[in-house]
Amino acid sequence: MNKVKTDSVKKQNTVTWDTIDWRKVERCVFKLQKRIYKAVRCNTVIKGQKLQKTLRRSWNNKLLAVRAVTQDNRGKKTAGVNGVKSLKPEERLSLAKTLKLTGKSNPTRRVWIPKPGKDEKRPLGIPTMCDRALQGVLKNTIEPEWEARFEPNSYGFRPGRKAQDAIAQIKLSIQHKPKYVLDADIAKCNDQIDHQALLRKTGYKCSTRRQIRAWLRAGVIDSKQFLETEEGTPQGGIISPLLANIALHGLEEIVKNFAETIPPEMTGLTKPNCFSKEQKRKSLTFIRYADDFVILHNNKEVILQVKAMISEWLKGVGLELKPEKTRIAHTLLSSESEDKKAGFDFLGYNVRQFPAGKYKTGTVANTERRKDFITTLAPTEKSITRHYDTIRRKCQELIGEPQEKVISCLAAYFNKQNFPYF
């Protein structure tokens, strides 16, 4: 054992940043992550904990975290409170060698960024380069465990999932029948999460718990003034989206459990053999993307009951619904909506249904299969305007450049946005 450890130390001392085989590094980390995922899915807790300990101490995991912070992420040139940024190759290796869970953390640097389309600003906490790299190490370690536990209709900030998946799930839910919808938003989700509730939900002990607790209570420096953080997760850190998802984990399950108790006359199901608990769970659709979520059902009374139940559940983690961004609407009938507007906006898309004529939906001989509505999924006006403004700004920046460069820059932008309608 000591010989293996000595060989590993020698290898770390002789390697240079330019000679690292990154494909091999990624493959080694991914293999361990898959084993952690399988262990948690099979309820072999002790095996999963041992694999997590191995990955947390892995040299490859540390290298990958440092590369993400110093080269890959958009904030690679953003400094924390210590002013360190843009590390050189030898400094990156030195940083990787020092990464260890110590239970301590530096304060974050408070930056105020404007909200798109609004005059107000939201706070952003920038950790130091070392804390960001250490967060990356721990995130790579615990994320496979929580991916095995997370609920199926949670799409925000998860590997292999995107906003288009959530929109596609909404379409599957309403394409056969119009429904009522609760379009809700959680007020200041990242800024008001209760620390003790979050730590209890993670269930970690010893060094992992101490390190997460240190990041949560590290405090912020705003205009050279230190402020304590007694609630919320530090936005701007690598691990913040994962902690927010952990805090909201379980919301879909209580909604589905409530659906099992819905009386048969309120389910909207017509066949007697469809009154099983499984069919009742399917009749109520819950879709969440980060702190935004929608709930779809045939009965408005069910939607109202779910809204009250969710408000009560959120109090347990120190959160509440945002009244101005929470509304009950109908996908087809404007008269059934609170603001007399049919449909709803979600993740930059407008989801709505329109009445359809008989010549648009089927023949007279096929009336039993004919639909009386058309479902549309289109970008909102704000999304289209913001998209056109970005294209206009990019074209103005590329005035005088060769045609090949203009085309390549615009193509890269479209590929990055991953718009399905282009």
Side-chain angles (χ1 to χ4, degrees), residues 264-299:
E265 61 272 9
M266 298 176 64
T267 59
L269 304 173
T270 55
K271 298 180 181 179
N273 58 352
C274 292
F275 294 152
S276 65
K277 290 185 178 180
E278 185 63 29
Q279 291 298 328
K280 288 181 178 180
R281 289 174 70 94
K282 291 181 179 180
S283 68
L284 195 150
T285 304
F286 177 92
I287 297 169
R288 181 176 66 85
Y289 190 94
D291 57 347
D292 296 339
F293 63 89
V294 293
I295 298 175
L296 300 155
H297 196 265
N298 304 303
N299 193 287

Side-chain angles (χ1 to χ4, degrees), residues 311-358:
S311 299
E312 188 65 27
W313 185 88
L314 289 175
K315 292 179 181 178
V317 289
L319 300 174
E320 60 181 0
L321 295 178
K322 197 171 186 177
E324 56 268 24
K325 286 191 176 182
T326 302
R327 61 187 285 263
I328 296 176
H330 195 271
T331 57
L332 177 62
L333 304 175
S334 58
S335 59
E336 296 292 331
S337 302
E338 290 182 345
D339 53 1
K340 305 303 178 183
K341 293 181 181 179
F344 60 98
D345 295 339
F346 189 63
L347 302 179
Y349 288 84
N350 179 259
V351 183
R352 188 177 176 182
Q353 293 171 326
F354 295 90
K358 61 180 180 179

Side-chain angles (χ1 to χ4, degrees), residues 33 89 132 141 172 188 193 199 289 331 344 358:
Q33 288 179 326
R132 272 180 276 174
T141 304
L172 290 175
K188 298 181 180 180
I193 294 177
L199 291 172
Y289 190 94
T331 57
F344 60 98
K358 61 180 180 179

Side-chain angles (χ1 to χ4, degrees), residues 15-17 136 216 223 230 239-240 251 285 312 315 322 411:
V15 73
T16 60
W17 190 262
L216 293 175
S223 300
E230 298 179 354
I239 205 171
S240 300
L251 186 57
T285 304
E312 188 65 27
K315 292 179 181 178
K322 197 171 186 177

